[in-house]
Amino acid sequence: MGGSSSSSASCSSSPPRPSTPPPSKPDIVSVFADKQVKEGQDGTLSCEASTGDVTVKWEKNGRSLECVMDKHIKRQIGKTFSLTIKDTTKEDEGNYTINLSNRSGSASCSAMVIVELNEWRTVQWKQDSMITSLKNFKINNDNIRQLRFLLHGPVGAGKSSTINTIKTIFDGHQFINCLAASDLSGESFTTKYQKYTAGAVPFAFYDLMGIEKDQLKGVQTDDIISALKGHIPDDYEFKPQAAMCEDNRYYISDPTLNDQIHCLVSVIAADKVAIMDNKVIQKMKTIRAEASKLGIPQLVFMTRVDNVCMLTKENLAKIYQSKKIKEKMEECSTRLGVPMNCIFPLKNYHEETKQNEKLNCLALEAFTQAVYSANDYVKKFSRKDKCVE
Ligand SMILES: Nc1nc2c(ncn2[C@@H]2O[C@H](COP(=O)(O)OP(=O)(O)OP(=O)(O)O)[C@@H](O)[C@H]2O)c(=O)[nH]1
Ligand SMILES: [Mg+2]
């Protein structure tokens, strides 16, 4: 990270007059580095060049900077050049470049200005009390042994990794059995309807094959709907060409609330939401509409946040100060049609081998919300044990 500098020489067409020797070619002696500025505060980018005999141009995101009075203050003191952005707002975030040029050549350097928003959602960054309250959690329906969570979403969204993360938190050591794919795989790595449990907590997670745009690839929409209703048994091997039907010998024809899903979690990768195919979105909307009809609560877990935001990658505790994360959540909200308060950004274990409390806290915040929603759902059925169909 840090600023970058480049310099390029260009020949002048007319020979220099003997009386005025050409100025020396500018070079950047000290570049400006990426800068994090708190919303509402001033941020200054400052660099030093080898000469002050230059024309100065500032750019933002590759375009000439439109200077706003009392907002952008450009200064040159000798060979030092600076730009101060007053009273920063999220619109000021971007890549800033200074170009210095004269007859003998030019030089430039660029850096990111990242505006830390005022925290717009708070997270409890201590995990112990959250883990304890989930470990002691009592389901509000005596007939229900476990709250059941189904994770669905596009191929490679991070469904299996999310289950791994939650299991890692409860088991107290890194869990990597729920097979997560390498990033390069184009097809779903998970093919079975696999159930995972964690430690002694009364929660079960169902991992699904990813949703694909093609009709005959990935998990079938009808299979996910059948799983929501409790018709699909554990370990069922999905067949992309044909959805499970009533005459299949594994079909659970009379599911109880214990076979049903109690909370549907849509998993979306923050770095892929913009390129998600409309057909995949449409399939997810169909599933969500069916879950709504059944009254099943739904949340969105937005994974891979470290791939879209440098501020968050460096310090997960700043996630709710990041403009980029907010934008990605808004994009998820618009594309999937879910309100912002149902979207939880998180980072999964994928390269680290040691437990990370901030990562755990973010996942625990999201998961706790899923647990309360699932519990509210089964509470409604506390006197009837039958499926709602
Ligand atoms: N950087 C980063 N990578 C992640 C994160 N979560 C998952 N990954 C990576 O994303 C890739 C896909 O993750 P999986 O968990 O296999 O995704 P999936 O949704 O189960 O995929 P399928 O089962 O193939 O449909 C893997 O390489 C993970 O290591 C995250 O929060 N950050
Ligand atoms: Mg998977």
Side-chain angles (χ1 to χ4, degrees):
M1 261 199 303
S4 59
S5 92
S6 63
S7 69
S8 60
S10 62
C11 296
S12 79
S13 49
S14 52
R17 278 180 245 144
S19 52
T20 51
S24 60
K25 183 183 101 50
D27 269 316
I28 307 281
V29 179
S30 113
V31 298
F32 40 71
D34 293 336
K35 192 155 198 91
Q36 293 171 12
V37 192
K38 285 200 169 26
E39 189 177 22
Q41 294 188 350
D42 300 348
T44 299
L45 296 171
S46 171
C47 69
E48 201 185 318
S50 55
T51 171
D53 191 1
V54 288
T55 304
V56 186
K57 281 200 184 114
W58 284 93
E59 290 177 0
K60 181 184 169 194
N61 298 331
R63 292 176 164 202
S64 181
L65 179 72
E66 284 182 27
C67 271
V68 177
M69 254 247 293
D70 297 332
K71 174 82 186 165
H72 300 113
I73 317 281
K74 296 190 273 186
R75 281 202 192 91
Q76 177 181 357
I77 300 171
K79 299 173 188 172
T80 303
F81 302 85
S82 67
L83 170 71
T84 297
I85 307 163
K86 307 282 280 180
D87 190 18
T88 52
T89 65
K90 62 185 167 72
E91 279 69 36
D92 293 316
E93 187 164 297
N95 190 267
Y96 288 79
T97 303
I98 185 170
N99 285 306
L100 305 175
S101 60
N102 61 24
R103 282 193 292 138
S104 304
S106 64
S108 66
C109 74
S110 317
M112 277 300 291
V113 170
I114 296 167
V115 180
E116 292 176 19
L117 305 186
N118 295 320
E119 202 169 46
W120 47 278
R121 201 188 270 182
T122 50
V123 177
Q124 191 185 327
W125 293 112
K126 287 266 167 257
Q127 64 181 22
D128 290 350
S129 63
M130 282 195 276
I131 294 179
T132 309
S133 71
L134 288 172
K135 280 191 171 164
N136 296 332
F137 191 82
K138 294 272 174 293
I139 303 172
N140 273 131
N141 182 335
D142 294 341
N143 297 323
I144 300 299
R145 293 183 295 275
Q146 285 170 326
L147 292 176
R148 295 155 59 95
F149 303 89
L150 178 67
L151 285 85
H152 81 143
V155 175
K159 302 175 291 295
S160 302
S161 303
T162 301
I163 296 177
N164 286 345
T165 298
I166 296 172
K167 269 188 72 59
T168 298
I169 297 171
F170 287 114
D171 293 347
H173 59 85
Q174 190 82 235
F175 178 80
I176 43 174
N177 279 2
C178 183
L179 289 176
S182 100
D183 233 353
L184 301 173
S185 134
E187 294 199 345
S188 201
F189 203 70
T190 307
T191 55
K192 265 190 184 173
Y193 187 50
Q194 188 98 39
K195 174 182 175 175
Y196 293 89
T197 53
V201 288
F203 311 128
F205 309 94
Y206 282 85
D207 197 14
L208 270 185
M209 197 176 182
I211 298 171
E212 300 204 33
K213 64 177 172 20
D214 293 345
Q215 206 52 43
L216 297 179
K217 277 192 165 177
V219 65
Q220 295 271 325
T221 308
D222 286 346
D223 274 340
I224 303 186
I225 294 169
S226 293
L228 288 176
K229 294 176 176 171
H231 295 303
I232 308 255
D234 295 354
D235 295 327
Y236 175 73
E237 186 85 38
F238 288 108
K239 300 184 181 51
Q241 289 78 15
M244 163 81 106
C245 55
E246 282 179 35
D247 47 16
N248 186 306
R249 64 192 168 112
Y250 298 113
Y251 188 84
I252 302 174
S253 49
D254 191 16
T256 69
L257 198 54
N258 267 310
D259 300 306
Q260 249 187 277
I261 293 301
H262 307 133
C263 178
L264 174 69
V265 177
S266 306
V267 182
I268 303 284
D271 56 338
K272 299 182 187 170
V273 55
I275 52 164
M276 264 171 73
D277 196 282
N278 277 332
K279 288 186 184 139
V280 173
I281 299 267
Q282 200 43 56
K283 284 184 180 182
M284 292 184 74
K285 281 189 172 167
T286 305
I287 294 157
R288 284 176 28 78
E290 198 63 37
S292 299
K293 260 197 240 168
L294 295 165
I296 299 172
Q298 301 154 43
L299 299 177
V300 176
F301 287 2
M302 188 180 83
T303 61
R304 298 170 54 113
V305 291
D306 50 315
N307 282 346
V308 292
C309 173
M310 210 164 61
L311 183 71
T312 305
K313 189 180 173 127
E314 278 174 13
N315 182 358
L316 213 49
K318 292 200 169 165
I319 190 158
Y320 289 121
Q321 287 163 263
S322 157
K323 177 191 173 210
K324 198 82 205 171
I325 296 294
K326 197 168 190 193
E327 278 174 3
K328 286 290 161 194
M329 287 172 66
E330 282 163 354
E331 209 171 340
C332 278
S333 167
T334 313
R335 293 211 73 189
L336 286 180
V338 283
M340 283 287 272
N341 61 2
C342 292
I343 303 176
F344 293 85
L346 53 90
K347 176 178 185 278
N348 285 313
Y349 285 106
H350 71 108
E351 56 186 10
E352 46 287 270
T353 49
K354 287 210 181 100
Q355 288 237 23
N356 173 330
E357 185 162 14
K358 285 178 190 159
L359 185 157
N360 289 356
C361 288
L362 212 48
L364 281 164
E365 287 271 343
F367 182 56
T368 301
Q369 188 56 54
V371 167
Y372 287 143
S373 307
N375 191 47
D376 284 345
Y377 176 71
V378 299
K379 207 157 68 178
K380 278 197 269 174
F381 297 90
S382 51
R383 257 178 288 280
K384 10 177 190 150
D385 178 34
K386 285 284 175 193
C387 173
V388 283
E389 259 186 305

